Amino acid sequence: MEDAIDQSVHCRRQTEMEALLCKNLGDPTLSPVPSSGEESESSPIFLDKNHPIPKLTSPTSVLVRVKATSINYANYLQILGKYQEKPPLPFIPGSDYSGTVELVGPGVSKFKVGDAVCSAASEGSFAQYIVVDETDLYRVPEGCDLVTAGALPVVFGTSHVALVHRARLTSGQVLLVLGAAGGVGIAAIQIGKACGATVIAVARGAEKVQFLKSQGVDHVVDLSSENVIQSVKGFLQSKGLKGVDVLYDPVGGKLTKESMKLLNWGAQILVIGFASGEVPVIPANIALVKNWTVHGLYWGSYKIHRPDELCESLNELLSWLSRGLITINISHSYRLSEANLAFAAIKERKVIGKVMVICDASSSGSTKSKL
């Protein structure tokens, strides 16, 4: 099989690709990725312009030409060495991505060359090509923008599993979303509205607040000028509502502690992440008295423990995307050679929605570029 693969690659007269390598741990925003292809001593990331194109590894593996890959906060933490998954160095960072099928193994039955697909990787997607088993790929419906589809799996997948599968959010409930202008926050807002919930969003700054209002949020708290407790209580009272039923928290820290004062008896807390850098303490005695349920949500582990549930969730989201029930805001997009700028946008909290890295500018699909 490898001989056939090698022959196919040589027929395209291409055996190498561009790939972003993390060669040591550190801050990926420190200096530009060298456009010359030479390594920079100050940056932990390096654009390798002569990296071997990966080969198919099994009869059911697929070679995907990557159109775009998403940058999530987890990718930034991983290069810093502060994420729970620590691949051996050097490695190609990975996240959700989209692209087209370039080559299939002899046992592949679900896809053919040219199909538009998306998926999520623990590593390897910051490159022009990636190899993946067909069971890990999802078909992008016709009419969906390919770059947009590459932004969907992690953030919308996380929020969908959290709200629909774990909290079982229903119409009439009150959802409070912290960090609401980030990728998972915006996804949580859209899914919350789709479920019929009253959605309260918390963010910082006039630009983010204005964007959230455009998303149909019922109430927005601007942390730069408002107190979250007073603002939310005032809104709840004006609507005749008692409190918050579901807290969606990708932030942590002091904001979590304050938000718990707004929760109803029997409320559910979704622990998504700690963008504040501080892990909050949820007092067990109060959780007991108020009958709270605390859900830890590490979306990546669903692939191991509940793959069928993960598959069901992502296919439903892709269906929603194709029907216009959800939309994805791409805040910034960059080339592989500009990856440091993409990480800087994440670090400096300039993002409203998603940051994308365009790996293949020649294939179909469009994006709102801010290069």
Side-chain angles (χ1 to χ4, degrees):
M1 184 179 69
E2 285 194 6
D3 292 341
I5 297 164
D6 287 343
Q7 182 180 359
S8 175
V9 173
H10 282 295
C11 285
R12 297 194 303 272
R13 297 182 181 179
Q14 182 180 359
T15 59
E16 297 174 337
M17 65 177 182
E18 290 188 355
L20 190 73
L21 294 179
C22 176
K23 61 187 190 303
N24 53 60
L25 300 180
D27 189 342
T29 71
L30 287 178
S31 63
V33 180
S35 59
S36 65
E38 298 177 357
E39 295 188 44
S40 168
E41 293 183 1
S42 60
S43 177
I45 55 177
F46 163 60
L47 182 61
D48 184 356
K49 294 189 174 183
N50 305 110
H51 199 80
I53 292 178
K55 296 180 179 181
L56 301 189
T57 55
S58 74
T60 57
S61 59
V62 177
L63 179 68
V64 176
R65 184 181 181 93
V66 179
K67 169 63 182 177
T69 186
S70 171
I71 289 188
N72 297 296
Y73 192 67
N75 304 122
Y76 173 64
L77 290 178
Q78 191 172 57
I79 294 175
L80 286 175
K82 296 181 178 180
Y83 194 60
Q84 56 259 34
E85 294 182 359
K86 297 178 172 62
L89 297 168
F91 67 93
I92 301 173
S95 196
D96 33 357
Y97 64 92
S98 61
T100 53
V101 173
E102 185 84 357
L103 194 66
V104 299
V108 172
S109 59
K110 296 180 180 179
F111 301 97
K112 65 182 184 302
V113 172
D115 283 347
V117 294
C118 68
S119 187
S122 58
E123 59 181 279
S125 67
F126 284 67
Q128 291 180 310
Y129 294 91
I130 187 172
V131 167
V132 61
D133 192 85
E134 70 168 336
T135 57
D136 294 326
L137 282 176
Y138 297 86
R139 189 181 306 277
V140 176
E142 286 189 24
C144 286
D145 177 74
L146 196 53
V147 173
T148 301
L152 178 136
V154 171
V155 294
F156 274 85
T158 296
S159 296
H160 187 268
V161 168
L163 293 171
V164 176
H165 292 258
R166 297 292 290 276
R168 301 192 180 278
L169 184 68
T170 58
S171 177
Q173 289 189 311
V174 176
L175 168 66
L176 177 61
V177 181
L178 308 184
V184 292
I186 292 174
I189 284 167
Q190 293 199 34
I191 293 167
K193 296 301 293 182
C195 291
T198 296
V199 179
I200 303 172
V202 180
R204 187 182 299 274
E207 183 182 3
K208 293 180 179 179
V209 168
Q210 189 59 39
F211 174 80
L212 291 169
K213 288 181 178 179
S214 75
Q215 297 292 294
V217 173
D218 296 282
H219 181 67
V220 185
V221 181
D222 185 351
L223 289 177
S224 64
S225 59
E226 297 179 279
N227 175 276
V228 65
I229 297 174
Q230 293 176 355
S231 180
V232 173
K233 280 188 174 181
F235 168 75
L236 292 172
Q237 290 173 359
S238 72
K239 298 296 182 180
L241 299 168
K242 291 183 178 180
V244 171
D245 300 301
V246 178
L247 172 62
Y248 184 95
D249 182 14
V251 177
K254 181 181 177 182
L255 189 56
T256 303
K257 183 177 180 180
E258 292 179 341
S259 299
M260 286 191 291
K261 297 176 183 178
L262 300 165
L263 301 184
N264 278 331
W265 184 96
Q268 301 186 72
I269 301 172
L270 293 162
V271 181
I272 307 300
F274 316 108
S276 68
E278 181 182 344
V279 178
V281 174
I282 300 174
N285 58 328
I286 298 178
L288 183 152
V289 172
K290 295 196 173 183
N291 279 265
W292 289 344
T293 301
V294 180
H295 302 273
L297 197 286
Y298 175 34
W299 181 80
S301 64
Y302 268 70
K303 183 177 179 180
I304 300 171
H305 299 286
R306 294 184 179 178
D308 291 343
E309 195 168 337
L310 181 66
C311 183
E312 177 189 341
S313 172
L314 287 176
N315 280 323
E316 182 171 29
L317 284 168
L318 285 166
S319 174
W320 286 5
L321 183 65
S322 69
R323 290 184 286 152
L325 298 179
I326 55 174
T327 59
I328 300 175
N329 186 67
I330 297 177
S331 178
H332 298 68
S333 59
Y334 300 93
R335 293 179 286 268
L336 270 172
S337 60
E338 300 170 312
N340 68 297
L341 301 178
F343 283 109
I346 292 285
K347 178 183 179 181
E348 297 165 11
R349 305 191 190 284
K350 296 179 178 179
V351 179
I352 302 177
K354 291 294 299 174
V355 178
M356 301 298 291
V357 172
I358 308 302
C359 302
D360 177 15
S362 64
S363 64
S364 61
S366 62
T367 182
K368 303 173 183 177
S369 295
K370 293 185 179 180
L371 300 177

